[in-house]
Amino acid sequence: MGDEFSSLQQTIERLGAVRTGKWMVTHQLQLHKFAASDPDGTQFARELHVIEFSDAAENCFLVVDKDPHKNVLEIHKAMLLVMDRIQLYEPRQKVRIEGFIYSFGDFAIKMGSYYLGASAKALVVEVEYKPGIRLADCNVLGREFLDQLTKGSTRQWTDADFVSYGLPARFSMQHSALQHVALFRSLQSTGSAGPTQT
C-alpha cells in the first residue's frame, strides 16, 4: 500500500500540483441498541454513519439509512456528545482516511490511505472539478482526469445514490459524506486489501 501511495503522490507532484494541506476523514458505523421500533410504531434506523472531514472542522455528517427516511444531516460536532449521552446507538466499526490535498489548475485532488485499525486497506482518491457545480456536468470530466492520473492501477469506482437521499444536483459536503458511506460499504463487501478506490 505504501508503494502505491508514494507512486501516486509522485505522479501528482510531477504534474505540478501543489500540496495545500492534509486530508483526514473519519467514519464510524453505529448500530441502534434497541428494537427496530417503539411500541407506538416509530421506526428507528438500524445503522447510523457518522462522518467527520478535516475541511469541515465545526460540523460532521450523519447518514441515516432507513426507508422512507433516508437522509444526510449536517450537525455541529457538539451534538455528538448529546448522542453519546442518550446512548441510542452503539459505536461499531471505525475507519479513517489520512492523506493530502493538492491543487492542480481547476482540480482539487484528495488522496489518502484508507485504514481499518492500524492497517491500510486501500488507497482513496477524490477529484473535484472546482468550476463545476452540478454533478452531471463534472462527473465525466472528473473520471477522465482520474483515469489518466491512476493509469495502470487497479481501480474500483464507488458511486452513491444521491437521488434516493433527496440531495440536490448542486454538489455539497453532504454528497461527499454519502460517497464515503458508499465507499465503506463497497470495501466491506469486497474485503478489499489494496486496489485504488475512487
Side-chain angles (χ1 to χ4, degrees):
M1 189 62 47
D3 291 343
E4 202 172 0
F5 185 91
S6 296
S7 175
L8 184 56
Q9 190 173 22
Q10 288 171 5
T11 300
I12 290 170
E13 290 173 357
R14 263 196 312 270
L15 288 173
V18 176
R19 187 187 302 181
T20 58
K22 290 188 175 187
W23 182 45
M24 185 157 177
V25 179
T26 58
H27 178 164
Q28 184 172 62
L29 170 64
Q30 297 188 9
L31 298 179
H32 202 279
K33 285 184 172 182
F34 306 106
S37 64
D38 266 352
D40 68 357
T42 304
Q43 295 289 312
F44 293 106
R46 171 108 175 98
E47 291 184 357
L48 179 68
H49 296 266
V50 180
I51 297 104
E52 298 179 57
F53 298 102
S54 58
D55 45 350
E58 294 287 319
N59 295 335
C60 65
F61 298 84
L62 304 180
V63 177
V64 179
D65 203 12
K66 176 71 179 144
D67 282 326
H69 307 291
K70 289 184 173 185
N71 210 337
V72 182
L73 307 170
E74 183 173 359
I75 64 168
H76 193 277
K77 285 185 181 176
M79 287 301 296
L80 293 178
L81 297 172
V82 173
M83 289 176 57
D84 285 345
R85 292 217 174 191
I86 294 173
Q87 297 183 350
L88 286 177
Y89 288 88
E90 186 172 29
R92 293 293 177 152
Q93 204 163 28
K94 188 171 188 172
V95 297
R96 72 185 190 286
I97 299 171
E98 293 180 3
F100 300 102
I101 302 170
Y102 292 88
S103 179
F104 179 67
D106 288 338
F107 293 94
I109 306 163
K110 298 176 182 178
M111 62 162 288
S113 295
Y114 186 92
Y115 291 94
L116 174 59
S119 62
K121 297 291 184 188
L123 179 62
V124 178
V125 181
E126 283 187 9
V127 173
E128 176 187 350
Y129 179 60
K130 291 187 263 186
I133 296 172
R134 292 175 31 86
L135 292 169
D137 297 340
C138 331
N139 233 2
V140 172
L141 187 58
R143 281 196 180 202
E144 286 176 3
F145 180 78
L146 200 48
D147 276 339
Q148 292 301 312
L149 190 63
T150 60
K151 197 175 273 188
S153 295
T154 305
R155 289 184 295 277
Q156 179 180 335
W157 295 106
T158 305
D159 290 316
D161 180 11
F162 302 126
V163 174
S164 70
Y165 285 82
L167 295 181
R170 186 181 185 119
F171 190 80
S172 68
M173 292 294 284
Q174 289 177 308
H175 291 81
S176 191
L178 193 54
Q179 191 77 16
H180 281 275
V181 171
L183 173 65
F184 175 82
R185 289 185 177 140
S186 172
L187 288 174
Q188 296 304 316
S189 67
T190 63
S192 177
T196 301
Q197 300 293 316
T198 58

